[in-house]
Amino acid sequence: MDAGCPRLPDSVLFEIFLYLDHADVLSVGLVCQQWRAVARDEFLWKELFYRYYRVSRDVPRHPGAVSWYDEFQRLYDTIPCVEVQALKEHNDQVLHLSFSHSGCLFASCSKDCTVKIWSNELDISLQHSSNMRPYNWSYTQFSQFNSDDSLLLVSGVFVGPHNSSSGEIAVISMENFTLLSRVRNKPYDVFGCWLNETNLISGNLHRIGRITSCSVLWLNNAFQGIESENVNVVKRLFKIQNLNASTIRTVMVADCSRYDSPDLLLDYEEQLAASSTCPVFDLGSDSEEEGAKPKAPPEPAVQELPGAGAVPAAQGLQQLFDGVMEGRRRPAMTETQLETEVAELFVRNRTKPPEPNLLPTDSKTKYLIFTTGCLTYSPHQIGIKKILPHQMTTAGPVLGEERRSDEFFDSLDHVIDIHGHIIGMGLSPDHRYLYVNSRAWPRDCVISDPMQPPPIAEEIDLHVFDLKTMKEVKRALRAHRAYTPNEECFFIFLDVSRDFVASGAEDRHGYIWDRHYNICLAKLQHDNVVNSVAFSPVEQELLLTASDDTTIKVWRSPRAVRIRQARRPRPRKLLFSWLLNQKS
């Protein structure tokens, strides 16, 4: 504290800490100067930490922390919550942000139909802007750098004949910003993603009935215009049947090579080398005691496949039609219900079985992850499909390996049921954990019409799943909100760093949580919906947020701001400069 300020008793300082506003970093820092001088006792800092941040005492200290004092300092000094720059070069809603792996560049997509490339120097500056309207795009919606940052995948909405809209993916070279190739992508919210340095995944959709369809996922070579005359540049990966108006959307690839050495283990008991179930916490609970109650994570739903004794499709169809014609089906089936039951019977004996061992078997294993469903058109399940080594290249037959007549469709290797509308997904940097934004359905709701999904909650739940065990490891985080109904619901992109997870929201704020303690640390204000957030992959104390208010905001931690200010050259005062000139 300042020399002129009276020193306070330790007990009074302790109570001051408990009532300080977390956002008031300067006030906390002033008190800390005296606190460090009078209280080095770890017990006092531990007590202060649990009470100040309202963390259950069952939660151990972060495995990377050396003391409770350092941990308290980390959570108020390293959070990117200080706005340092606002980028206003877009003239419409900014929908998505993505960093290069080196952290030197990032890309932004917008309703103004441009993708902009930014240089992340001392002050962020615009390096290039590509307008996609000449290619009949309506807007750009998503981007992703390949693993060596030499190519940029850009996904957008393509306006076709008679104003019909689907998606399209463009590949842009980072060497000279030229457009290398374009790939059709349907539906547009498949978005697309890289599988490796030169191959990307897109989607296509084929209607079978009014509410039944088939999603086909394709592997595409990024250099199609150059190589298509000599070698295959596309190959079919998977063909999956969709029921009840559902479709495959939002594809991403998880690399399993680091599952045994993650940046941060989220299971507290695993951290302590124990085998019991980890405690979980709910930020939405009304009391500290309620949030501290352990709850066993629910087992994710696994897709049920018919056993050897299942009724053959032809026999099942005959039984179904006989029952309908003779009036033995009560209540009477609607047209939608009839179509769904016929589709289920058809696919029963026409689907390739799932891979026998989903869990990673070697360091080269990769998972294809996407949103899907089985009850209604709104995405409410996460599908996981193992990508085999021979599927990671476009070499070989365009339609993939030969299939028997009873393997017309591919089955999913694993399904996670969210029981709500999924509006965002993101992987931890080590790809061990999958974070999912969802808006819950009412408990015990029944869906009788796939075109009428249940109402969705305003609260957004942020779920965490361990992709090594395929289990939910913590109860959902809560703080952010959304207000649009099912038919207007849109994707809100989240991002994960080593220690933090961030998300946008419709309540005009971005949010940051600590991954270990499951606590909300900061709210970042905008003037409209926050659509996307992105941590720098090399500096988690730098965060970007993109909003419908047409701006991209740059946020740094208080510590980073102090360091950068100290490095900036200070301009000489005019009087000092004049005196120097006089002496010379």
Side-chain angles (χ1 to χ4, degrees):
M1 300 179 70
D2 293 340
C5 295
R7 298 185 65 82
L8 301 175
D10 294 358
S11 59
V12 174
L13 278 175
F14 192 90
E15 294 302 320
I16 289 176
F17 264 87
L18 298 180
Y19 288 99
L20 278 174
D21 184 354
H22 178 269
D24 194 356
V25 176
L26 292 177
S27 297
V28 175
L30 289 173
V31 179
C32 276
Q33 292 179 28
Q34 180 183 340
W35 187 268
R36 287 199 302 270
V38 299
R40 287 284 184 176
D41 192 334
E42 271 290 276
F43 174 80
L44 293 178
W45 279 107
K46 180 178 179 180
E47 182 72 16
L48 175 62
F49 186 92
Y50 281 127
R51 291 180 61 182
Y52 183 80
Y53 288 107
R54 299 179 182 179
V55 176
S56 167
R57 295 178 187 274
D58 295 334
V59 181
R61 194 175 68 195
H62 189 289
V66 296
S67 70
W68 283 105
Y69 165 71
D70 288 338
E71 194 64 349
F72 193 94
Q73 186 178 39
R74 177 180 75 86
L75 290 190
Y76 77 74
D77 208 25
T78 66
I79 311 302
C81 58
V82 181
E83 182 184 341
V84 296
Q85 198 172 354
L87 310 175
K88 301 181 178 180
E89 279 76 357
H90 283 291
N91 55 36
D92 207 334
Q93 302 168 2
V94 189
L95 302 180
H96 186 256
L97 299 163
S98 65
F99 266 101
S100 63
H101 294 81
S102 68
C104 297
L105 301 172
F106 70 88
S108 58
C109 296
S110 169
K111 281 287 184 74
D112 64 13
C113 207
T114 66
V115 54
K116 298 186 187 297
I117 314 298
W118 307 80
S119 176
N120 181 23
E121 301 295 339
L122 189 64
D123 283 321
I124 291 171
S125 60
L126 182 63
Q127 187 169 353
H128 177 78
S129 180
S130 292
N131 182 13
M132 302 304 292
R133 290 200 191 280
Y135 305 102
N136 290 328
W137 283 29
S138 178
Y139 57 89
T140 60
Q141 59 176 354
F142 174 84
S143 65
Q144 185 182 44
F145 289 85
N146 70 341
S147 57
D148 64 2
D149 294 335
S150 62
L151 303 173
L152 179 68
L153 176 155
V154 183
S155 174
V157 176
F158 174 85
V159 181
H162 311 293
N163 292 324
S164 63
S165 63
S166 62
E168 192 167 84
I169 296 172
V171 178
I172 297 176
S173 168
M174 288 294 96
E175 182 179 1
N176 50 17
F177 303 113
T178 57
L179 181 63
L180 298 178
S181 59
R182 292 160 57 201
V183 176
R184 196 58 56 90
N185 190 41
K186 185 178 181 180
Y188 61 84
D189 49 3
V190 168
F191 294 120
C193 66
W194 291 105
L195 176 61
N196 48 43
E197 288 184 7
T198 58
N199 294 297
L200 59 100
I201 296 173
S202 65
N204 201 356
L205 184 67
H206 304 280
R207 293 291 177 187
I208 299 175
R210 192 174 72 89
I211 58 169
T212 308
S213 63
C214 173
S215 288
V216 182
L217 297 172
W218 292 89
L219 187 65
N220 308 266
N221 192 295
F223 302 96
Q224 295 193 8
I226 301 172
E227 301 183 357
S228 57
E229 293 183 3
N230 304 313
V231 297
N232 287 341
V233 293
V234 296
K235 184 167 73 175
R236 187 175 65 191
L237 281 178
F238 305 114
K239 183 166 57 173
I240 298 168
Q241 188 194 44
N242 305 310
L243 300 176
N244 289 319
S246 64
T247 60
I248 286 178
R249 312 176 187 183
T250 319
V251 297
M252 60 178 59
V253 172
D255 184 345
C256 308
S257 60
R258 294 188 55 199
Y259 280 13
D260 292 326
S261 56
D263 296 325
L264 177 67
L265 283 171
L266 296 185
D267 189 316
Y268 304 133
E269 299 299 334
E270 192 174 354
Q271 291 176 11
L272 300 173
S275 59
S276 57
T277 305
C278 67
V280 290
F281 308 92
D282 183 8
L283 290 182
S285 62
D286 295 326
S287 66
E288 192 171 338
E289 291 74 22
E290 180 185 346
K293 293 178 183 177
K295 176 183 176 182
E299 289 288 333
V302 181
Q303 185 178 23
E304 294 184 2
L305 295 173
V311 177
Q315 183 180 342
L317 283 170
Q318 188 62 51
Q319 292 175 357
L320 171 63
F321 292 141
D322 289 345
V324 171
M325 298 301 295
E326 296 171 8
R328 288 187 276 109
R329 295 296 298 259
R330 289 290 185 267
M333 298 180 70
T334 64
E335 182 180 339
T336 297
Q337 292 170 332
L338 180 61
E339 179 181 329
T340 298
E341 191 154 345
V342 169
E344 289 175 341
L345 286 168
F346 175 78
V347 78
R348 178 176 295 172
N349 291 357
R350 293 291 184 270
T351 299
K352 185 178 179 181
E355 292 301 318
N357 182 20
L358 175 64
L359 298 182
T361 55
D362 57 60
S363 61
K364 297 181 180 179
T365 301
K366 291 186 178 183
Y367 293 149
L368 182 63
I369 301 172
F370 45 84
T371 63
T372 182
C374 63
L375 302 174
T376 181
Y377 69 82
S378 63
H380 54 277
Q381 292 179 322
I382 298 168
I384 299 176
K385 191 71 182 162
K386 191 174 183 179
I387 304 176
L388 301 176
H390 71 271
Q391 295 175 309
M392 297 186 188
T393 172
T394 56
V398 172
L399 298 181
E401 69 275 11
E402 289 190 17
R403 295 168 177 258
R404 302 194 307 266
S405 60
D406 60 348
E407 294 181 347
F408 188 80
F409 295 111
D410 293 290
S411 61
L412 304 186
D413 294 331
H414 197 81
V415 176
I416 300 173
D417 200 323
I418 299 298
H419 193 75
H421 193 131
I422 299 171
I423 60 170
M425 293 198 304
L427 290 164
S428 59
D430 52 28
H431 288 203
R432 169 75 180 263
Y433 298 98
L434 177 67
Y435 286 75
V436 181
N437 268 336
S438 75
R439 296 173 62 184
W441 291 337
R443 189 185 299 272
D444 301 324
C445 65
V446 176
I447 301 175
S448 56
D449 183 353
M451 304 310 294
Q452 296 292 328
I456 49 179
E458 288 188 354
E459 295 84 5
I460 301 175
D461 294 329
L462 184 51
H463 302 273
V464 191
F465 296 95
D466 186 342
L467 293 179
K468 183 177 180 180
T469 63
M470 296 297 169
K471 294 182 179 180
E472 187 167 6
V473 292
K474 291 177 182 283
R475 266 178 82 183
L477 292 165
R478 280 186 175 177
H480 47 333
R481 304 177 73 87
Y483 308 108
T484 51
N486 267 304
E487 63 274 12
E488 300 175 18
C489 207
F490 54 87
F491 221 67
I492 294 178
F493 293 94
L494 58 93
D495 197 24
V496 190
S497 71
R498 185 188 68 238
D499 295 312
F500 308 128
V501 55
S503 175
E506 291 185 44
D507 59 13
R508 302 184 179 187
H509 289 88
Y511 289 82
I512 303 174
W513 294 266
D514 183 82
R515 293 179 59 198
H516 175 74
Y517 297 107
N518 262 29
I519 53 176
C520 187
L521 297 171
K523 291 175 65 176
L524 313 175
Q525 188 168 4
H526 272 268
D527 294 330
N528 212 320
V529 172
V530 178
N531 295 305
S532 180
V533 297
F535 286 102
S536 166
V538 297
E539 183 188 2
Q540 67 174 355
E541 295 179 38
L542 168 62
L543 178 71
L544 308 174
T545 55
S547 171
D548 279 358
D549 63 16
T550 75
T551 65
I552 300 169
K553 289 190 176 182
V554 184
W555 308 83
R556 293 188 182 273
S557 68
R559 180 176 68 175
V561 170
R562 292 196 304 271
I563 293 173
R564 291 170 68 84
Q565 288 176 343
R567 290 176 177 172
R568 288 179 181 271
R570 296 182 179 180
R572 295 177 175 178
K573 294 183 179 180
L574 292 177
L575 178 60
F576 184 67
S577 300
W578 180 81
L579 288 173
L580 287 178
N581 292 332
Q582 291 298 312
K583 288 183 179 181
S584 60

